[in-house]
Amino acid sequence: MQRRLLLGRARLLLPAIKASLKSKTPEPTRILVRHAQLASQTRPQLPFLSPPLAGSHQFRYLTTERRRWLVYEVYLGFKYTVYLWAIIGCSVVAYWSVQQEWLESKYPTPHEWGFITRLRFRIAKWGPDRTDWPETDWVVIGEYAKNVIERLEDRDIEGAGLEHLTEGGVWIDGVGESGYDVTSKSEPWRRGYYEALMLGAKAAEQLDDSVVDTTRHIVFHASTVIGPSNPHPKPIPFGAEKAPLEENCERAYEEPETFYMRILTTRGFSSRQKMDAALAYASWLDFKQMPDAAVRMYDWALSLASENMPPPDVPYDRQSYVLRDDAPAPSTNILNALTALATHKARNGDVSTALPILLSVLRARRSLPEPRLQNPTTSPRGPDAPASSPSPWTPANIISTVRRLAAPPAYPPAPDDGESPPERDARERCEEAALSLYIGEIIFASDGHEDGLAWTREAVDLAEEQLHRPDIADDAAAKGTCRECLGSGLQNWATMVTRLAREERERESRAAVAAASSSGTWFGLWGDAAAANKRDAVTGRWAAEENVVMERTKRAQEVLDELEAPKTALSSLFSA
């Protein structure tokens, strides 16, 4: 009975199982809906209305919209790149323009020169004062100066109207071609040509011991050349090019006398310019230890200083070079030439000739006329000049400011020719202090220690006094002369006192040893207390003056170390 019931239930469940198995069997799919999930039997799913399955779909990567987007992005990138480089280029041009304007205001060039000549001359004059170089590159300065000189002497560039002194020119053995006739040129042109020649001479002095390797076009010091003439060459600095061979080297630059003689033989330069060139050439000959040639050059400079006055009016004796008491006041050129000649004679041991010359020059400088005082109530614009407006925003002030900024800086006027006696202003008083230094050095070297120190102290006091004057702030040349004189005077004073203090200590040590050995006590342990106190009272003078010099040097640092005011954030961007 129970078995029948189970079989009956099995028969009842069998159709349901077959029906479920039949419903799970997949039916053939239609072609239009083979990629769709059949969620319903009543509504077919079209392939373009359902998301495609991975691995079996196909579509276009570069559609029309994507291509337009890519073209726009490339256009934007190109546009912004052009903008960026344009901004960078304009910034560089603006910076360069501001720098050239600053250089033109500090190192003016004649306006009649061409753009390239003026640009190279500014760079050459800026070279010795540049702070962005680790050291002064005289090779670059010399090349720029030589290029400027060549352009000025080229009739097709800047030298139109330049003439030789004689037909075909004059050739000087060992020097080269003589000068030109520049009388037809304007004064700014002649002054710029003279400055270019002097700058070339200065570069030639700095490069006198340099050679250039012709195979590599690199400049080396002559002491590093490997060859028979230099058996012990100096080592090359780390990281530099290897030392050159002697057979590949030649002189790197012209000799200084080439430029100096070009100035001295040029017609059209003033007597002051030729005299300064002769004194510089004589100083170079002194450095090269050629005193005889230097003396002849100093005599030439002195003759140039007095060539425009009649022979009876020459204020110095032609044999001893001492200024006469009954002569008129000497000119600036004569005072400078006599001072340089006396310094040369003192440097070469002729103290008996040098000292009277320096004393006569110092006496003449102290008797110079005082500077004329300007009336503060007098307007420099004249009595009929209109009164200045209280407001800076008037149309006239704005137009003048714009015109001043747009116009190039005016070329400075011609300096004094040195043919007249100078006035006893702050700069001349510092020249007096320099003369006192020379005299103090000569007297101290001649065993006149006390007198030499007295002259040196007087020079230091005078130079420091001039530096504290309020009217010297606007005179850069006078301030530089006084600062140089004060620094040299303090150094000389310290050297003299240090030497005397050392000699004093040596004398005291010898005196102490002699006193101890001559004492009557055992082993010199007890001496005469009165004699010891007496020695202590008279000793230590120069040691005490050493401390005085140190204090004076510390006090003078505030005027010797002239610091510039810190630049603001905006002005530092446009500073060269």
Side-chain angles (χ1 to χ4, degrees):
M1 188 65 183
Q2 188 174 4
R3 182 179 296 178
R4 289 179 181 178
L5 292 175
L6 293 174
L7 289 176
R9 291 183 179 179
R11 291 190 186 100
L12 291 175
L13 294 175
L14 183 61
I17 295 173
K18 291 181 179 181
S20 63
L21 292 176
K22 184 177 179 180
S23 63
K24 292 181 179 179
T25 303
E27 296 182 357
T29 58
R30 297 173 61 186
I31 297 175
L32 293 177
V33 294
R34 66 178 182 269
H35 296 298
Q37 297 289 341
L38 299 179
S40 173
Q41 295 290 338
T42 60
R43 184 177 181 180
Q45 297 293 325
L46 298 179
F48 58 84
L49 294 178
S50 60
L53 298 177
S56 61
H57 62 280
Q58 295 180 358
F59 59 90
R60 295 174 60 187
Y61 285 94
L62 188 61
T63 60
T64 303
E65 292 79 7
R66 185 180 294 272
R67 183 174 59 186
R68 291 177 181 174
W69 176 78
L70 290 175
V71 170
Y72 183 69
E73 291 295 327
V74 171
Y75 167 74
L76 285 181
F78 179 76
K79 182 176 71 172
Y80 290 137
T81 302
V82 172
Y83 286 170
L84 178 63
W85 282 107
I87 293 173
I88 293 175
C90 293
S91 301
V92 171
V93 171
Y95 174 80
W96 183 83
S97 301
V98 172
Q99 184 190 58
Q100 293 303 314
E101 188 72 17
W102 175 79
L103 289 176
E104 179 64 26
S105 62
K106 190 172 184 180
Y107 308 102
T109 55
H111 295 173
E112 56 190 298
W113 290 2
F115 175 77
I116 300 298
T117 307
R118 296 178 65 182
L119 173 64
R120 295 175 179 175
F121 191 41
R122 283 194 295 263
I123 296 176
K125 294 174 68 176
W126 182 33
D129 301 332
R130 294 188 66 165
T131 57
D132 56 340
W133 287 353
E135 60 182 6
T136 304
D137 194 346
W138 287 103
V139 177
V140 175
I141 298 173
E143 290 299 326
Y144 274 115
K146 187 166 63 174
N147 180 264
V148 170
I149 294 171
E150 292 174 355
R151 294 178 65 89
L152 293 176
E153 295 176 351
D154 192 343
R155 292 182 175 86
D156 297 332
I157 304 178
E158 306 288 352
L162 211 62
E163 299 293 340
H164 288 285
L165 296 177
T166 59
E167 187 67 25
V170 179
W171 185 265
I172 304 175
D173 293 337
V175 175
E177 192 175 3
S178 65
Y180 295 87
D181 186 358
V182 297
T183 53
S184 61
K185 294 294 185 179
S186 63
E187 192 279 331
W189 194 100
R190 296 196 304 268
R191 200 192 327 166
Y193 180 47
Y194 167 78
E195 292 176 357
L197 288 172
M198 290 296 290
L199 185 59
K202 188 176 181 180
E205 292 179 359
Q206 298 292 332
L207 299 175
D208 184 62
D209 293 333
S210 299
V211 296
V212 57
D213 189 349
T214 56
T215 60
R216 295 176 291 172
H217 302 287
I218 302 176
V219 178
F220 295 90
H221 196 271
S223 60
T224 61
V225 176
I226 301 175
S229 62
N230 189 25
H232 304 288
K234 291 184 178 180
I236 293 292
F238 178 76
E241 298 288 340
K242 64 179 181 179
L245 301 178
E246 185 175 356
E247 57 268 18
N248 299 331
C249 294
E250 61 183 19
R251 187 179 180 85
Y253 205 70
E254 286 80 357
E255 296 183 357
E257 49 263 25
T258 302
F259 301 94
Y260 288 130
M261 294 305 297
R262 185 79 58 85
I263 296 173
L264 294 173
T265 56
T266 294
R267 183 183 302 164
F269 289 149
S270 64
S271 300
R272 176 70 176 270
Q273 292 172 336
K274 291 186 176 181
M275 185 203 69
D276 290 341
L279 293 178
Y281 187 27
S283 177
W284 168 251
L285 294 174
D286 270 336
F287 175 76
K288 300 297 287 185
Q289 298 181 356
M290 293 187 287
D292 296 336
V295 167
R296 291 193 295 270
M297 194 55 58
Y298 281 117
D299 290 338
W300 192 353
L302 192 56
S303 64
L304 289 170
S306 57
E307 66 176 356
N308 294 329
M309 60 177 56
D313 295 340
V314 175
Y316 60 89
D317 184 77
R318 295 186 180 274
Q319 298 298 327
S320 62
Y321 302 105
V322 176
L323 290 171
R324 301 194 306 269
D325 296 336
D326 57 345
S331 64
T332 304
N333 294 344
I334 292 178
L335 291 174
N336 294 339
L338 287 176
T339 303
L341 177 62
T343 305
H344 162 75
K345 291 184 176 296
R347 195 177 292 121
N348 288 273
D350 193 1
V351 177
S352 60
T353 304
L355 192 57
I357 298 175
L358 291 176
L359 290 174
S360 66
V361 172
L362 180 60
R363 185 169 56 251
R365 286 191 179 275
R366 288 179 175 176
S367 61
L368 291 174
E370 296 292 334
R372 295 183 296 272
L373 297 178
Q374 297 182 354
N375 189 0
T377 61
T378 303
S379 175
R381 300 178 299 170
D384 299 333
S388 61
S389 175
S391 175
W393 302 108
T394 59
N397 290 341
I398 294 176
I399 292 175
S400 63
T401 302
V402 172
R403 185 179 302 171
R404 186 174 62 253
L405 294 176
Y411 196 68
D416 185 20
D417 58 359
E419 298 292 338
S420 58
E423 295 179 345
R424 197 165 180 250
D425 53 4
R427 183 173 183 179
E428 289 301 321
R429 292 178 185 272
C430 289
E431 294 290 347
E432 295 177 17
L435 283 173
S436 299
L437 281 182
Y438 294 152
I439 295 172
E441 288 182 21
I442 294 174
I443 295 177
F444 188 87
S446 303
D447 294 335
H449 296 166
E450 295 283 346
D451 295 336
L453 270 174
W455 282 94
T456 304
R457 294 192 201 98
E458 181 182 358
V460 170
D461 294 338
L462 182 58
E464 189 174 6
E465 177 186 357
Q466 300 307 311
L467 281 174
H468 286 289
R469 291 180 56 176
D471 57 345
I472 203 176
D474 298 333
D475 194 347
K479 184 184 295 185
T481 302
C482 293
R483 290 175 67 245
E484 183 179 357
C485 180
L486 178 59
S488 300
L490 289 173
Q491 185 178 1
N492 290 356
W493 191 5
T495 303
M496 294 176 183
V497 172
T498 301
R499 176 181 171 183
L500 294 178
R502 184 176 63 251
E503 294 176 356
E504 181 184 54
R505 286 190 291 268
E506 292 176 355
R507 288 196 305 268
E508 290 302 321
S509 61
R510 290 195 298 267
V513 172
S517 61
S518 61
S519 177
T521 59
W522 290 356
F523 304 107
L525 296 178
W526 298 277
D528 191 354
N533 293 334
K534 183 179 180 180
R535 285 197 305 269
D536 293 337
V538 299
T539 58
R541 171 189 174 185
W542 303 119
E545 190 161 349
E546 271 188 312
N547 298 329
V548 173
V549 175
M550 293 176 60
E551 293 297 329
R552 288 290 297 272
T553 304
K554 292 179 181 178
R555 190 179 68 184
Q557 288 302 321
E558 61 182 13
V559 293
L560 290 177
D561 299 336
E562 185 178 0
L563 300 178
E564 297 182 357
K567 299 182 176 63
T568 61
L570 182 61
S571 63
S572 62
L573 296 176
F574 299 98
S575 61

